[in-house]
Amino acid sequence: MEMFLDILVAVLLILGCLMSLIAGIGLLTFPDMLTRMHAATKPQVLGFLLIFAGLAIHLRSWAVVPLLLLAWGMQLLTAPVSAHMIGRSGYRTKHAAKDSLYADELKQIVDKVSGTPATGATDVSSKQAEKTED
């Protein structure tokens, strides 16, 4: 039984490391921001799960399982959310290759929001025009 658990730990750790390696290679080789963002989040979260599962089996202690679950849960929550925010900001700052998108669902929302000034925003050009008239 001990040998089987050691082999299982080795397989889980190697697979987790390979997923992290795949994520790193994807960050370096994919052509645009949106595909790089996908490569940074999808395999990385699964890689962490495999590494943490291997670590939990290797340590053979129930005391570390809640800590590992908390660490993996935080990674599961923060990686996709941060990638989503990076994707939206990259889209708005024209870093996304919009010609390669199959469907551009964000275009309508961005056009609607960018057409009206935000709450509390002032129009700088009209204030400058008033100063030049005086």
Side-chain angles (χ1 to χ4, degrees), residues 52 56 61-74:
F52 289 160
S61 171
W62 285 103
V64 297
V65 171
L67 183 64
L68 292 174
L69 285 175
L70 178 66
W72 182 67
M74 292 304 292

Side-chain angles (χ1 to χ4, degrees), residues 12-111:
L12 288 173
L13 290 176
I14 289 171
L15 286 176
C17 291
L18 284 175
M19 293 301 285
S20 296
L21 178 67
I22 289 169
I25 291 172
L27 281 173
L28 294 175
T29 59
F30 283 157
D32 64 338
M33 182 201 61
L34 296 175
T35 55
R36 287 180 186 160
M37 180 184 62
H38 177 77
T41 57
K42 299 292 181 181
Q44 189 67 26
V45 172
L46 179 61
F48 274 133
L49 175 65
L50 294 173
I51 289 172
F52 289 160
L55 186 60
I57 294 170
H58 177 69
L59 294 176
R60 292 182 179 88
S61 171
W62 285 103
V64 297
V65 171
L67 183 64
L68 292 174
L69 285 175
L70 178 66
W72 182 67
M74 292 304 292
Q75 180 70 25
L76 185 66
L77 290 174
T78 58
V81 171
S82 63
H84 177 77
M85 297 309 293
I86 290 170
R88 285 182 70 99
S89 66
Y91 183 91
R92 290 181 181 200
T93 58
K94 313 288 190 259
H95 285 91
K98 295 178 186 171
D99 55 337
S100 66
L101 294 177
Y102 178 72
D104 193 358
E105 298 169 352
L106 193 57
K107 183 175 178 10
Q108 295 173 351
I109 296 169
V110 170
D111 289 343

Side-chain angles (χ1 to χ4, degrees), residues 111-131:
D111 289 343
K112 180 180 175 184
V113 170
S114 64
T116 59
T119 307
T122 58
D123 189 12
V124 177
S125 60
S126 64
K127 287 195 174 202
Q128 288 177 349
E130 290 174 5
K131 287 183 180 179

